[in-house]
Amino acid sequence: MGYILHPSLKLPPAPRIADIGTGTARFIICLHPEIPDAVFEGLDISDALFPPRDALPAGATLSLQDLKQPFPEHMHEKYDLVHLRLLVSGMRPDDWAPAVCNIFRILRPGGYIQWEECEFLNAEWHKSRPDSRFETAKMVADAFTDALRQQFQHGWNTLPDQMREAGFTSVFSDVVSSDRFPETTADMTASILSLNLTWARMMTARGVSGPLFGDHVDDLERTVHEEIKSGGYFKFNIHVACGQKPTS
């Protein structure tokens, strides 16, 4: 995106920052050098991806918390920033507004929310060279998008209004193309396709049949990486929604 924290968000000294859906705590690890005096807390519904303690900045903590459930009272008005990203696959259409309200309660007056989601429904495929290929990669990505079409219709385009309805002010959305920095397009495409292929394997394990499943997934993965090396890439918009809790 060109930034980790949107440059318009002005945090106080030694801010307390919550990263919800933290997973591998990548956001915390990347932001810490920019705000070394911050107190970081990573929250997630599962600890399956939590990194080892020594991979985290000093003082950072990780714990379990479900965004869809009201936060305990001791967490209310605790944070100067709450960050979230790429939660769409775990969100139903009616989950977004209550989640935003839950976040509003745990922010201190004047605190900020930053939430990033991707606009996969209008994604495009491009060739960086005349001989680039992306046919197999596109087939895999299209199957993933079709399966999660209902989820992908929300979040990226609904969050700003839901933030306003929850009481946030100074709400805005920054729209960033995934190829803003051309040198990152191959890695971005590989990352998204890795997610798609993980999903395909999960569907196979659940007994779901289809052209992308079964013994074909390993072959598809090899072909997909060959196509990415050839210069075929996935282009989509990243929507960064931000808002501030009123000071009074």
Side-chain angles (χ1 to χ4, degrees):
M1 298 187 302
Y3 56 84
I4 301 171
L5 185 65
H6 194 279
S8 71
L9 307 188
K10 306 302 182 184
L11 299 179
R16 185 173 289 273
I17 298 174
D19 181 38
I20 297 180
T22 193
T24 62
R26 182 66 177 167
F27 173 81
I28 292 173
I29 293 167
C30 290
L31 185 59
H32 174 255
E34 295 187 11
I35 317 177
D37 62 344
V39 177
F40 290 99
E41 295 183 32
L43 307 171
D44 207 304
I45 195 172
S46 168
D47 61 4
L49 297 178
F50 285 1
R53 169 64 260 177
D54 59 7
L56 293 171
T61 60
L62 303 177
S63 59
L64 298 177
Q65 178 64 44
D66 185 353
L67 169 65
K68 299 176 187 178
Q69 301 300 319
F71 289 86
E73 191 169 347
H74 74 269
M75 296 179 71
H76 290 188
E77 298 195 351
K78 183 178 182 181
Y79 302 101
D80 299 293
L81 169 71
V82 175
H83 171 265
L84 314 91
R85 67 178 170 197
L86 297 180
L87 301 183
V88 64
S89 63
M91 300 286 282
R92 298 184 302 271
D94 58 353
D95 286 334
W96 296 92
V100 172
C101 290
N102 288 341
I103 295 162
F104 188 88
R105 294 187 188 99
I106 64 173
L107 279 167
R108 292 170 175 165
Y112 296 97
I113 179 175
Q114 177 175 309
W115 192 330
E116 300 116 59
E117 292 293 345
C118 298
E119 183 184 349
F120 290 129
L121 292 181
N122 299 310
E124 302 173 346
W125 284 88
H126 293 271
K127 296 181 177 183
S128 60
R129 301 191 297 271
D131 61 344
S132 296
R133 297 173 290 113
F134 56 69
E135 291 76 12
T136 301
K138 182 178 185 303
M139 181 179 65
V140 172
D142 285 351
F144 180 74
T145 300
D146 288 344
L148 297 178
R149 185 166 296 275
Q150 183 183 33
Q151 287 95 319
F152 288 158
Q153 291 173 350
H154 303 271
W156 61 272
N157 58 343
T158 58
L159 278 169
D161 284 343
Q162 288 159 342
M163 289 180 182
R164 294 184 185 95
E165 291 168 3
F168 285 98
T169 59
S170 304
V171 175
F172 66 91
S173 181
D174 184 25
V175 183
V176 181
S177 173
S178 64
D179 66 349
R180 171 178 279 188
F181 299 98
E183 64 272 19
T184 69
T185 55
D187 284 344
M188 287 286 286
T189 302
S191 179
I192 295 298
L193 267 297
S194 176
L195 171 65
N196 298 168
L197 289 161
T198 298
W199 166 80
R201 289 190 170 93
M202 183 174 67
M203 292 298 100
T204 300
R206 293 180 179 178
V208 179
S209 61
L212 300 181
F213 309 139
D215 296 336
H216 299 290
V217 180
D218 290 344
D219 293 335
L220 288 171
E221 185 169 28
R222 284 189 287 270
T223 302
V224 162
H225 285 291
E226 289 171 1
E227 290 179 349
I228 294 171
K229 289 180 181 178
S230 80
Y233 70 92
F234 193 48
K235 178 181 177 182
F236 53 93
N237 285 334
I238 304 165
H239 292 250
V240 185
C242 299
Q244 185 176 26
K245 185 172 181 175
T247 55
S248 60

